Amino acid sequence: MFAKLPDKIVTPNKDGSARVLAIANQKGGVGKTTTAVNLATAMAACDKRVLIIDIDAQGNASTGLGLEAPNRKITSYDLLIGRNNASEAVVKTSIPNLSLIPSSVDLSGAEIELIDADRREYRLKDTIKTILHDFDYILIDCPPALGLLTLNAFCASDAVLVPLQCEFYALEGLSHLIRTIERVKRAFNPRLEIQGVVLTMYDKRNNLSDMVAADVRDYFGDKVYETVIPRNVRVSEAPSHGKPVLLYDVNCRGSQAYIHLASEILKRERRLSA
Ligand SMILES: Nc1ncnc2c1ncn2[C@@H]1O[C@H](COP(=O)(O)OP(=O)(O)OP(=O)(O)O)[C@@H](O)[C@H]1O
Ligand SMILES: [Mg+2]
């Protein structure tokens, strides 16, 4: 498919269970889904067993991996309401080592349906327990909101990966996201960390991109990945072909950036587990 990443890296969690990363930012259209799909693909190409869980009613990660709505049988919604087991919902994608739990439009009502449910913050965590040993990495593609669905992702995760678009309003809402992560850590999930912040849609012709990148690095220090994802038309074309950009055009700048990002994240993961 494309060149494998050089590093041979051990699974980070010492008990052999998957590391679970929530890809979250309540701001819409910042590159959460694009990052989930392409990071997962790059990790899978690196011999990692990877699962994407799509918990966004928009279902963009599912579509972007070639699974259109009519073909989604058992979804993350079914897991959250307790209708099915996680292993029943896992489907293989056309990419070796990469599986998917698709989403359903029913998720748009799930937050209200789950208001009175037992352990409503832990529904996702509880359901994926049985499949944690089947994967090395589980990436959760979150919706653009900090409601119960994203809270479920935070409770089920080891760390949060925050995509941040290089634009004027990038930092707006970020302190709210950070406060939310800290609150979840205190109240529900003490192991939750910020894995890192990835700058997306960087445009080198635009001075503003540089200013935003500098501001974000000031604020987050080395939590910000060195790899920056450029704005690249091939990245935006790929989903309409039901493919990650890494399969659509492996040589484009967007693909190469996601390969670098995967390498950087896996190295950071290895340091965390050392
Ligand atoms: N590096 C990039 N270059 C060009 N276009 C991009 C890039 N990354 C993402 N896009 C495009 O920007 C749009 C938003 O990206 P994406 O769907 O990944 O964001 P999101 O945060 O998941 O959105 P939402 O909040 O709606 O779930 C999409 O049309 C996507 O194809
Ligand atoms: Mg999305």
Side-chain angles (χ1 to χ4, degrees), residues 32-34 56 58 60 141-142 144:
K32 293 180 288 294
T33 302
T34 305
D56 183 0
Q58 298 179 96
N60 295 339
D141 185 27
C142 294

Side-chain angles (χ1 to χ4, degrees), residues 48-238:
K48 299 290 163 204
R49 298 164 303 162
V50 188
L51 171 70
I52 293 187
I53 306 180
D54 187 350
I55 59 162
D56 183 0
Q58 298 179 96
N60 295 339
S62 310
T63 314
L65 286 165
L67 194 61
E68 297 293 341
N71 300 325
R72 297 173 202 161
K73 301 281 185 300
I74 299 170
T75 68
S76 53
Y77 171 79
D78 297 309
L79 305 187
L80 288 167
I81 63 160
R83 192 189 279 158
N84 291 89
N85 299 325
S87 59
E88 297 172 311
V90 175
V91 291
K92 288 198 179 341
T93 70
S94 59
I95 297 140
N97 290 332
L98 179 57
S99 300
L100 168 72
I101 293 181
S103 85
S104 153
V105 287
D106 294 335
L107 280 171
S108 53
E111 306 223 338
I112 291 171
E113 282 178 57
L114 290 173
I115 276 179
D116 294 324
D118 271 357
R119 289 176 62 77
R120 60 182 178 158
E121 303 87 359
Y122 297 106
R123 309 288 292 193
L124 189 61
K125 179 187 166 85
D126 291 347
T127 185
I128 64 172
K129 262 188 193 139
T130 55
I131 55 169
L132 285 179
H133 284 84
D134 299 340
F135 300 98
D136 298 313
Y137 283 93
I138 296 179
L139 306 186
I140 306 173
D141 185 27
C142 294
L146 291 176
L148 188 57
L149 290 171
T150 299
L151 180 56
N152 262 269
F154 287 172
C155 289
S157 294
D158 296 296
V160 185
L161 200 158
V162 182
L164 210 71
Q165 190 180 346
C166 289
E167 50 131 47
F168 183 62
Y169 293 112
L171 291 168
E172 208 179 66
L174 201 59
S175 49
H176 184 48
L177 176 61
I178 306 304
R179 272 202 310 279
T180 303
I181 293 171
E182 277 163 6
R183 219 175 286 147
V184 173
K185 192 176 160 84
R186 275 199 307 276
F188 301 108
N189 179 9
R191 70 181 194 286
L192 190 68
E193 300 290 346
I194 296 182
Q195 215 280 347
V197 176
V198 56
L199 294 167
T200 61
M201 296 184 235
Y202 176 82
D203 185 349
K204 65 173 187 294
R205 292 162 306 182
N206 182 343
N207 288 339
L208 194 60
S209 269
D210 274 333
M211 281 165 59
V212 171
D215 271 3
V216 174
R217 286 188 196 281
D218 259 5
Y219 188 88
F220 279 105
D222 61 8
K223 280 281 179 201
V224 186
Y225 301 109
E226 279 167 30
T227 311
V228 172
I229 310 298
R231 185 176 284 284
N232 178 214
V233 68
R234 306 299 270 169
V235 174
S236 56
E237 287 168 0

